Amino acid sequence: MYLIGFGEGFGVHLFWVLTNGIHAFAHFPVVSQVYLNALVFLDPLVVVLAARVRRGGILLAVVVMTLDVTTNWIGNWPWVKADPARLLQPVGLLPITLFGLFVLLSAVPLLRVTKGPGGATRLRDPNVTVRGYGS
């Protein structure tokens, strides 16, 4: 799910930057604009690290989605306040928020079984064996 979600996020942000330039998110505060443009680099980095089953990928995913959800809620708050029913759209703030919650909720169990620096497996329970990662 991480690969799909962050891959889709990369595609969307790349589309907006390619079609509208670095000012694609001009209706957001400047700090948010910089962050949203940076997702063209951060999203694929999460995909690569998560695909390699690295703890850093999971941690970066949490940071990226926390900032992404926060940035989108701040930038879109005026229309949310004006028309809350727009939250029910299948594109936009609702899926971003739901994916952000998924990343946050799945991070803890994933961190228990992912590789740390140097490929070392991190398991909290020494009696648990994860196939392919040793004991």
Side-chain angles (χ1 to χ4, degrees), residues 25-91:
F25 306 101
H27 60 286
F28 285 85
V30 174
V31 172
S32 297
Q33 291 178 48
V34 171
Y35 174 70
L36 291 169
N37 282 301
L39 288 174
V40 171
F41 303 102
L42 293 172
D43 283 342
L45 180 58
V46 171
V47 169
V48 169
L49 292 173
R52 295 188 66 203
V53 193
R54 298 290 183 212
R55 291 174 64 82
I58 307 307
L59 295 171
L60 183 59
V62 169
V63 170
V64 166
M65 284 313 300
T66 300
L67 291 173
D68 198 354
V69 170
T70 303
T71 298
N72 275 286
W73 271 93
I74 290 169
N76 291 301
W77 182 247
W79 69 257
V80 170
K81 206 167 123 179
D83 184 13
R86 286 180 63 186
L87 283 173
L88 300 176
Q89 295 177 349
V91 176

Side-chain angles (χ1 to χ4, degrees), residues 103-120:
V103 169
L104 290 174
L105 293 174
S106 65
V108 172
L110 286 173
L111 286 170
R112 288 185 183 142
V113 294
T114 54
K115 298 177 185 178

Side-chain angles (χ1 to χ4, degrees), residues 53 55 109-115 119-135:
V53 193
R55 291 174 64 82
L110 286 173
L111 286 170
R112 288 185 183 142
V113 294
T114 54
K115 298 177 185 178
T121 303
R122 305 261 186 217
L123 293 175
R124 298 201 180 197
D125 184 350
N127 298 318
V128 174
T129 300
V130 178
R131 186 168 298 184
Y133 294 115
S135 55

